[in-house]
Amino acid sequence: MKDNSAPQSSPPSGQKPSRKRRQKGSPPDAPRMNRRRLRQREEAEKTRWSEIRQVMRKDRFKASALLAGFGFFLLAVSQLIPHDYGFTELGALFTFSVYDLVLAMIGLGIACAMMETHRYFALVVAVFVAILLPMLLFFDPIFVVIRDSALGKVLYLIAPTAVIATGISLWLPGRFRRYGVMVAAAIVAFSFSLFIGLDDFGVGIPSFAMASVLSALWIMLTPAFLLRCFRGPWLVIPARILGSWLVVIAVIVTVSLYVPLPIKVHPDLSADTAVPGADEPPAMQDQGAYGSVDADGPLPSFLQDEPKPDPNAPSVFDSLKTPGIGK
């Protein structure tokens, strides 16, 4: 039996197939499938936005937003209104000056938002406070021990180490992340306690240290509470991006500690070097407000016109002389 279907001739090389031939190979319901996919995508976006609106209506999100707004309001009032700063306000603002540890605290907050249970969330915060409070309460004896140990020679590396540990913990998978974040929280708290204890304003002033600790907790808990309301797999990529930035920042800070500062070379004032103004006459040289004692030029006019004292005038000490005995 002969095959009546004739073989389709392929188009010559360098020539595109016709529109009818392209449509012949596509399924007849292709436009319907595209419309269906667009409809499904629109429905997914509507569902996502409806879920976000539902989360924003919850009391947990409102409380987290209120905590964040209250902190930003106090910070704006402190910076915009001129006033005299107290030690409590200085302690709260001091935390923001340690910019690398502030980024590490934000990373800890994102890691807390990604925790599987509330128990591990609370453990990270507890480790941070458990290291920070004893260091501040007994800073003097603890710092003496640290200074005399091998750690006292590399204290400048503690802050970059804390930032690197936080960045690496954000890259760890779920089961190892919880322990890595706890270790990073301990190192960040230890480094931050050294900054507070060694600061001039913080020595023996409890209000300064207490405000610094509260400010650090606000920096860490604000993103944790807000992002935990929207917890999901989408947090993994932003967390890893922030972790990469933290590692890069820590490396830059560490390298800058070893790069020597440029030394300013002063000009050579030897005999061969001409001193500006040396060829001018002494009267034209800059001799200060009252002239130079060793200058050979004339005295200023206000000194020439000053009246000379009378040598025969009575002295002011004559009235203080003790009268002679027996007179």
Side-chain angles (χ1 to χ4, degrees), residues 169-236:
S169 66
L170 293 174
W171 270 88
L172 296 176
R175 189 177 65 178
F176 300 100
R177 187 191 304 120
R178 63 185 71 152
Y179 303 108
V181 171
M182 293 180 189
V183 174
I187 302 175
V188 172
F190 178 73
S191 177
F192 185 59
S193 65
L194 291 178
F195 275 97
I196 298 177
L198 294 175
D199 190 80
D200 293 336
F201 292 101
V203 177
I205 302 176
S207 60
F208 182 91
M210 187 181 301
S212 300
V213 174
L214 292 177
S215 181
L217 288 175
W218 179 82
I219 292 172
M220 187 172 66
L221 294 179
T222 297
F225 287 149
L226 286 174
L227 294 177
R228 195 164 180 82
C229 299
F230 307 96
R231 184 164 54 102
W234 69 274
L235 271 175
V236 175

Side-chain angles (χ1 to χ4, degrees), residues 44-58 229-230:
E45 291 180 357
K46 291 180 180 178
T47 305
R48 188 180 303 112
W49 282 110
S50 62
E51 291 177 355
I52 292 175
R53 285 195 295 267
Q54 289 178 1
V55 171
M56 294 176 67
R57 293 193 189 101
K58 293 182 179 180
C229 299
F230 307 96

Side-chain angles (χ1 to χ4, degrees), residues 16 37 42 54 81 91 104 127 130 138 140 144 147-149 165 171 187 200 227-228 232-234 262 284:
K16 294 183 179 179
R37 290 175 183 173
E42 292 176 357
Q54 289 178 1
I81 299 178
V127 168
F138 310 101
D140 292 338
V144 170
R147 184 186 58 189
D148 296 338
S149 63
W171 270 88
I187 302 175
D200 293 336
L227 294 177
R228 195 164 180 82
W234 69 274
M284 301 298 294

Side-chain angles (χ1 to χ4, degrees), residues 288-305:
Y290 298 100
S292 176
V293 177
D294 299 332
D296 298 332
L299 292 175
S301 60
F302 67 90
L303 291 179
Q304 294 177 354
D305 299 337

